[in-house]
Amino acid sequence: MADVVLVLNAGSSSIKFSAFDGGHADLPLILRGQVEGLYTSPKSIAKNDAGTEIESKTWSDAGFGHEEAIAYLVALLRSQRGDHRLVAVGHRIVHGGMHFSRATLIDSRVMAALQKLTPLAPLHQPHNLKAVDIVTKIRPDLPQVACFDTAFHRTQAEVAQAFALPASITDQGVRRYGFHGLSYEYIASVLPDFDRKAAEGRTVVAHLGNGSSMCAMVNGRSAASTMGFTAVDGLPMGTRCGNLDPGVILYLLNELKMDAKAIENLVYKQSGLLGVSGLSSDMRSLLGSTDARAAFAIDLFAYRIGRELGSLAAASGGIDAFVFTAGIGENSPDIRQRACEHARWLGITLDADANRSGGPRISSPSSSVSVWAIPTNEELMIARHTRNLLAAA
Ligand code: ADP
């Protein structure tokens, strides 16, 4: 009988899920997928460990929401692996604030603390926590673990976490938290298999997906990151603008008379690759386009990666390795090459063939920094934390 660890990543209209076999040390994947279109046009897709579709469904009931989706997942597991025993659920929780610096077994006290952090991530935290509540309702006995996007960055020095704001504001939690921590933690965990010297030294990781950020790690611990108070900071992303002079927000408010909701929409949903190109938030579409605006959006993306690389290398006192990961980082030789062109001053040179074939090592032997393309696995990182906490409980 398989002991299943279920991993949930619940958003406002979707739940991504993965199930792992917790009985094996390396936690093999059993199935993964997502339910999306909650409350509008719900549909699901589930794939097995080989990526082959095993079930897809649509529901006509627009009342089908998080509760129904989680009940469906439990039934799906039962139908696919009737002999399994669900032993724990690991949740991706966007915000752990200053307090949660590691994955944590959830109880009512932890839930109360996490609910208090909702104002720091109003678009994500309530949905993450809703999934915890629903599982508690269905299976109150089941251990649940909160795995945070912010926790990995709590090792950063105070200066790396601070804004130059009055202490009265900083003390209310207005500081740099950093995100994508589960992805960076996963990369830190596998980096010794690729480059032991870099893993013990200074590595910058570029997590380039729909959401993008970069992190400087020293000896596998976060030293600095491009995302700050929220996940809209740093690099331009699919639809998020990244770094923005706060004076722009004041100008939008005072001169263009935009209200807070309109500005939120602008910086989170209408900017980045989509806003600059006016075409698409999807890097594959932009790379396939002949439109000059697509080319400019790509140039801006690569340029910003180069700028942040310089800043992060300075923050960690130099750089031994540069790692690309996530959808764009893992799959686009073109973006990797363009980003590295901005890093020639660091002595970075790529091996064109290795870059085209996906590496994992993509730098040339003479490069003074080793460069890698390494797939991330945030879900597996959550499953590991969940299993480890279960074993320790
Ligand atoms: P999320 O942040 O939603 O997890 P992903 O990590 O899946 O996103 O990354 C999605 C991005 O990766 C999209 O912009 C997509 O176009 C891009 N991408 C995926 N495959 C490729 C590819 N072969 N070449 C360029 N971009 C790619």
Coordinates of all heavy atoms in Angstrom, one line a residue, residues 41 43 59 68 72 99 134 137 183 206 228 237-238 245 248 289 296 324 335 338 347 351-352 364 374 378:
S41 N -15.8 28.3 -15.3 CA -15.9 27.1 -16.2 C -14.9 26.0 -15.7 O -13.8 25.9 -16.4 CB -15.7 27.4 -17.7 OG -14.6 28.3 -17.8
K43 N -12.6 23.0 -15.0 CA -12.1 21.8 -15.8 C -10.8 21.3 -15.1 O -10.1 22.1 -14.4 CB -11.9 22.1 -17.2 CG -10.9 23.2 -17.5 CD -10.7 23.4 -19.0 CE -9.6 24.4 -19.2 NZ -9.3 24.7 -20.6
W59 N -16.9 20.6 -15.7 CA -18.1 20.6 -14.9 C -18.9 21.8 -15.4 O -18.4 22.9 -15.7 CB -17.8 20.8 -13.4 CG -17.1 19.6 -12.8 CD1 -17.7 18.5 -12.2 CD2 -15.7 19.3 -12.7 NE1 -16.8 17.6 -11.7 CE2 -15.5 18.1 -12.0 CE3 -14.6 20.0 -13.1 CZ2 -14.3 17.5 -11.8 CZ3 -13.3 19.4 -12.9 CH2 -13.2 18.2 -12.2
E68 N -15.3 21.7 -3.8 CA -15.6 20.6 -4.8 C -14.4 20.1 -5.4 O -14.2 18.9 -5.7 CB -16.6 21.1 -5.8 CG -18.0 21.5 -5.3 CD -18.0 22.8 -4.5 OE1 -17.1 23.5 -4.5 OE2 -19.1 23.0 -3.8
Y72 N -13.0 16.3 -5.3 CA -12.7 15.6 -6.6 C -11.3 15.0 -6.5 O -11.1 13.8 -7.0 CB -12.8 16.6 -7.8 CG -12.1 16.0 -9.0 CD1 -12.6 14.9 -9.7 CD2 -10.9 16.6 -9.5 CE1 -12.0 14.4 -10.8 CE2 -10.2 16.1 -10.6 CZ -10.8 15.0 -11.2 OH -10.1 14.5 -12.3
H99 N 8.3 35.5 10.7 CA 8.4 34.5 11.7 C 8.7 33.1 11.2 O 9.5 32.4 11.8 CB 7.0 34.5 12.5 CG 7.0 33.5 13.6 ND1 7.8 33.5 14.7 CD2 6.2 32.3 13.6 CE1 7.5 32.4 15.4 NE2 6.5 31.7 14.8
I134 N -10.3 23.5 4.1 CA -11.2 22.5 3.5 C -10.7 21.1 3.8 O -11.4 20.2 4.2 CB -11.2 22.7 1.9 CG1 -11.9 24.0 1.6 CG2 -11.9 21.5 1.2 CD1 -11.8 24.5 0.2
K137 N -11.5 20.2 7.3 CA -13.0 19.8 7.4 C -13.2 18.4 6.9 O -13.9 17.6 7.6 CB -13.8 20.8 6.5 CG -15.2 21.1 7.1 CD -15.7 22.4 6.4 CE -16.8 22.0 5.5 NZ -17.3 23.1 4.7
S183 N 11.6 27.0 -5.0 CA 12.4 26.7 -6.2 C 13.9 26.9 -5.9 O 14.7 26.0 -6.2 CB 11.9 27.7 -7.3 OG 12.8 27.5 -8.4
A206 N 18.5 32.1 -11.6 CA 17.4 32.9 -12.3 C 16.2 32.0 -12.5 O 16.3 31.0 -13.3 CB 17.9 33.5 -13.6
G228 N 10.8 41.7 -3.6 CA 10.9 42.3 -2.3 C 9.7 42.1 -1.4 O 9.4 41.0 -0.9
M237 N 8.0 40.4 -15.7 CA 7.5 39.1 -15.8 C 6.5 39.0 -17.0 O 6.4 39.9 -17.8 CB 6.9 38.7 -14.5 CG 7.9 38.9 -13.4 SD 7.2 38.6 -11.8 CE 8.1 39.9 -10.9
G238 N 5.7 37.9 -17.0 CA 4.7 37.7 -18.0 C 3.8 38.9 -18.1 O 3.7 39.6 -19.2
D245 N 10.0 52.8 -10.2 CA 10.2 53.9 -9.4 C 8.9 54.2 -8.7 O 7.9 54.4 -9.3 CB 10.6 55.1 -10.3 CG 10.7 56.4 -9.7 OD1 10.3 56.6 -8.5 OD2 11.2 57.3 -10.4
V248 N 6.5 56.7 -10.0 CA 5.5 56.4 -11.1 C 4.1 56.1 -10.5 O 3.1 56.6 -11.1 CB 6.0 55.1 -11.9 CG1 5.0 54.7 -12.9 CG2 7.3 55.4 -12.6
S289 N 7.5 35.6 -32.8 CA 6.9 36.7 -33.5 C 8.0 37.5 -34.2 O 9.2 37.5 -33.9 CB 6.3 37.6 -32.4 OG 5.9 38.8 -33.0
F296 N 11.5 44.0 -28.7 CA 11.9 44.9 -27.6 C 11.6 44.4 -26.3 O 12.4 44.5 -25.3 CB 11.2 46.3 -27.8 CG 11.6 47.3 -26.8 CD1 12.9 47.8 -26.8 CD2 10.7 47.7 -25.8 CE1 13.3 48.7 -25.8 CE2 11.1 48.6 -24.8 CZ 12.4 49.1 -24.8
F324 N 20.1 28.8 -14.6 CA 18.8 29.1 -15.2 C 17.8 28.0 -14.8 O 18.1 26.8 -14.9 CB 18.8 29.2 -16.7 CG 19.6 30.4 -17.2 CD1 20.9 30.3 -17.5 CD2 18.9 31.6 -17.4 CE1 21.6 31.4 -17.9 CE2 19.6 32.7 -17.8 CZ 21.0 32.6 -18.1
I335 N 17.0 32.9 -24.7 CA 17.0 33.8 -23.6 C 18.2 33.6 -22.8 O 18.8 34.6 -22.3 CB 15.7 33.6 -22.7 CG1 14.4 34.0 -23.5 CG2 15.8 34.5 -21.5 CD1 14.3 35.4 -24.0
R338 N 21.0 35.4 -24.6 CA 20.9 36.9 -24.5 C 21.2 37.4 -23.2 O 21.9 38.4 -23.0 CB 19.4 37.3 -24.9 CG 19.1 37.2 -26.4 CD 17.6 37.1 -26.5 NE 17.2 36.9 -27.9 CZ 16.7 37.8 -28.7 NH1 16.5 39.1 -28.3 NH2 16.3 37.5 -29.9
G347 N 33.1 37.5 -17.3 CA 33.9 36.4 -17.8 C 33.0 35.2 -18.2 O 33.5 34.1 -18.3
D351 N 28.9 27.7 -24.1 CA 29.1 26.7 -25.2 C 27.8 26.6 -25.9 O 26.8 26.1 -25.4 CB 29.5 25.4 -24.5 CG 29.6 24.2 -25.5 OD1 28.9 24.2 -26.5 OD2 30.5 23.3 -25.2
A352 N 27.8 27.1 -27.2 CA 26.6 27.2 -28.0 C 25.9 25.9 -28.1 O 24.7 25.8 -28.0 CB 26.9 27.9 -29.3
S364 N 31.2 27.5 -21.5 CA 32.4 26.9 -22.2 C 33.4 26.6 -21.1 O 33.4 27.2 -20.0 CB 32.9 27.9 -23.2 OG 33.4 29.1 -22.5
I374 N 19.0 24.0 -15.1 CA 18.6 22.9 -14.2 C 17.1 23.0 -13.9 O 16.7 24.0 -13.4 CB 19.4 23.0 -12.8 CG1 20.9 22.9 -13.1 CG2 19.0 21.9 -11.8 CD1 21.8 23.1 -11.8
E378 N 9.4 22.5 -7.4 CA 8.8 23.1 -6.2 C 7.9 22.1 -5.4 O 7.9 22.0 -4.2 CB 8.1 24.4 -6.5 CG 9.0 25.5 -6.9 CD 8.3 26.6 -7.8 OE1 7.9 26.3 -8.9 OE2 8.1 27.7 -7.3

